[in-house]
Amino acid sequence: MTPDQLQAAVLALIAGARLKSAGGLTVSEFGSLVVEVIRLAVAGLDTITTLDGPAKKAWTLSCVGTLFDAVADSCVPTLAWPVWFILRPAVRTLVLSAAGGALEQILVLTRAAAPEPIA
């Protein structure tokens, strides 16, 4: 997968998430979307050799941040919006921290499920 193909796939996933979030999302649905973005990024970035590990992690977390910015507001009931706008930056930081930890675990699972290269 080329970097452009990976970026297009992530943007397509986020666009689909926006459509899905139009009717509102639960927190568990949002969590599933975060894991899906991380899995897609890990699978795609494993094939890209021009980036090192920290750059790949930063790119993946950037994708999670973009997803958060796109759909997180739809997880919050309208009545809670005044409080949400105060807490949103802290929640975003918390989501990115959790995604960083989840990334390490998903990376291990994705690589374990990948077939061994034939020498």
Side-chain angles (χ1 to χ4, degrees):
M1 182 177 280
T2 67
D4 291 337
Q5 290 172 328
L6 178 58
Q7 185 171 6
V10 169
L11 291 176
L13 190 139
I14 291 172
R18 274 195 183 113
L19 291 174
K20 187 186 282 190
S21 71
L25 284 176
T26 65
V27 173
S28 69
E29 289 171 331
F30 176 75
S32 295
L33 289 170
V34 169
V35 170
E36 194 173 339
V37 165
I38 293 172
R39 281 184 187 258
L40 176 62
V42 165
L45 287 171
D46 269 351
T47 64
I48 298 172
T49 58
T50 57
L51 295 174
D52 62 347
K56 289 179 180 182
K57 183 174 183 175
W59 193 86
T60 302
L61 292 179
S62 171
C63 292
V64 172
T66 302
L67 175 69
F68 182 90
D69 294 339
V71 300
D73 293 344
S74 64
C75 296
V76 180
T78 306
L79 292 175
W81 278 8
V83 175
W84 171 244
F85 289 123
I86 295 168
L87 295 176
R88 190 178 195 278
V91 172
R92 187 179 195 278
T93 301
L94 179 65
V95 167
L96 290 175
S97 295
L103 173 60
E104 300 299 327
Q105 293 302 313
I106 292 172
L107 184 64
V108 170
L109 293 172
T110 302
R111 288 187 175 159
E116 293 289 326
I118 299 173

